[in-house]
Amino acid sequence: AQKITQTQPGMFVQEKEAVTLDCTYDTSDPSYGLFWYKQPSSGEMIFLIYQGSYDQQNATEGRYSLNFQKARKSANLVISASQLGDSAMYFCAMREGRTGNQFYFGTGTSLTVIP
Amino acid sequence: EAQVTQNPRYLITVTGKKLTVTCSQNMNHEYMSWYRQDPGLGLRQIYYSMNVEVTDKGDVPEGYKVSRKEKRNFPLILESPSPNQTSLYFCASSHTPTLAGGPRETQYFGPGTRLLVL
């Protein structure tokens, strides 16, 4: 089974609107970390936001927030007030706490912001 | 400046010709890792290293070797490259993942190496 599932290969959003990128994960480990990365067309991987499985509150970093629903095993990224520079690939990733050593990435969502 | 560097950035080679992609980090990170990125497949972990002289296989280790003789360096070796190893390769580093987790285990990535094997 896939550890990380991103079901939206491509998304479009109007500039200044909010957008939600979906991510579901599969683990039986009670301790895990969830990450979102952005990959612009230039190719580098940019860390956006982190959520720990024991964190009581949803993570936020500027215009990025993580809608963490533990029971549903989902960790959706919300980008508020989209900007043209947000057009990129977005990857969700997970590390399981007890095995500790491997990171798992989803297949990514390509976001296009329309002026 | 804190960074992960990879060399070369672009490489065209032929089947069977041994090559090494270097990776170096200046953040004193214990954990280092190699990934390959292919369209529609996302990033897949090839090998990782928890510290010097400690390496382990990720999800797609076949056809690759690594070594970790120094904390800052983690080269990826393709002994006999084949066309199915044509890909975009990333090196990444972080502090040691722990049971408690936390933002410290966030991985920082190098700029990537585009490899074409003919």
Side-chain angles (χ1 to χ4, degrees):
Chain A
Q2 292 286 341
K3 290 283 189 181
I4 296 287
T5 302
Q6 293 181 256
T7 57
Q8 306 155 313
M11 291 277 288
F12 292 88
V13 64
Q14 204 78 37
E15 196 178 4
K16 299 190 179 74
E17 297 291 311
V19 62
T20 298
L21 307 184
D22 294 342
C23 172
T24 57
Y25 57 92
D26 181 27
T27 182
S28 57
D29 194 325
S31 173
Y32 51 89
L34 297 159
F35 307 80
W36 276 92
Y37 286 85
K38 172 184 178 181
Q39 185 180 44
S41 58
S42 51
E44 71 267 32
M45 294 289 288
I46 301 167
F47 166 70
L48 296 177
I49 196 166
Y50 167 86
Q51 179 85 44
S53 60
Y54 295 122
D55 292 343
Q56 295 296 315
Q57 294 188 314
N58 288 345
T60 60
E61 289 286 350
R63 293 186 299 111
Y64 304 109
S65 61
L66 206 150
N67 184 1
F68 181 45
Q69 298 187 46
K70 200 168 180 177
R72 298 179 63 181
K73 293 187 177 178
S74 75
N76 299 338
L77 178 70
V78 180
I79 305 175
S80 63
S82 296
Q83 302 171 355
L84 295 178
D86 294 334
S87 293
M89 281 289 288
Y90 289 81
F91 291 97
C92 180
M94 177 178 69
R95 185 191 77 80
E96 293 171 309
R98 293 194 188 277
T99 59
N101 301 331
Q102 275 192 257
F103 282 78
Y104 303 96
F105 280 78
T107 52
T109 296
S110 176
L111 177 67
T112 302
V113 180
I114 304 166
Chain B
E1 180 191 354
Q3 59 183 353
V4 179
T5 57
Q6 294 178 229
N7 282 293
R9 295 288 313 279
Y10 304 91
L11 181 58
I12 301 173
T13 190
V14 294
T15 298
K17 186 176 181 182
K18 181 180 179 180
L19 67 92
T20 299
V21 184
T22 64
C23 173
S24 183
Q25 51 93 7
N26 62 1
M27 294 171 277
N28 201 34
H29 285 162
E30 299 83 14
Y31 185 94
M32 296 186 74
S33 180
W34 277 102
Y35 296 87
R36 61 177 289 173
Q37 183 180 6
D38 302 290
L41 297 178
L43 279 78
R44 293 177 293 168
Q45 198 167 31
I46 303 170
Y47 269 95
Y48 58 90
S49 170
M50 296 292 286
N51 215 322
V52 175
E53 303 290 3
V54 181
T55 62
D56 212 339
K57 296 177 181 178
D59 286 334
V60 288
E62 295 77 20
Y64 304 95
K65 283 176 59 177
V66 293
S67 68
R68 186 93 181 270
K69 293 182 170 38
E70 302 167 283
K71 194 173 185 179
R72 62 184 292 128
N73 296 324
F74 190 44
L76 179 70
I77 303 156
L78 284 71
E79 294 267 0
S80 182
S82 62
N84 65 11
Q85 293 179 297
T86 292
S87 189
L88 174 60
Y89 291 87
F90 285 102
C91 180
S93 74
S94 71
H95 290 296
T96 303
T98 65
L99 186 62
R104 271 173 54 89
E105 67 189 31
T106 298
Q107 290 188 89
Y108 294 92
F109 283 78
T113 294
R114 287 197 179 274
L115 173 64
L116 172 61
V117 183
L118 301 173

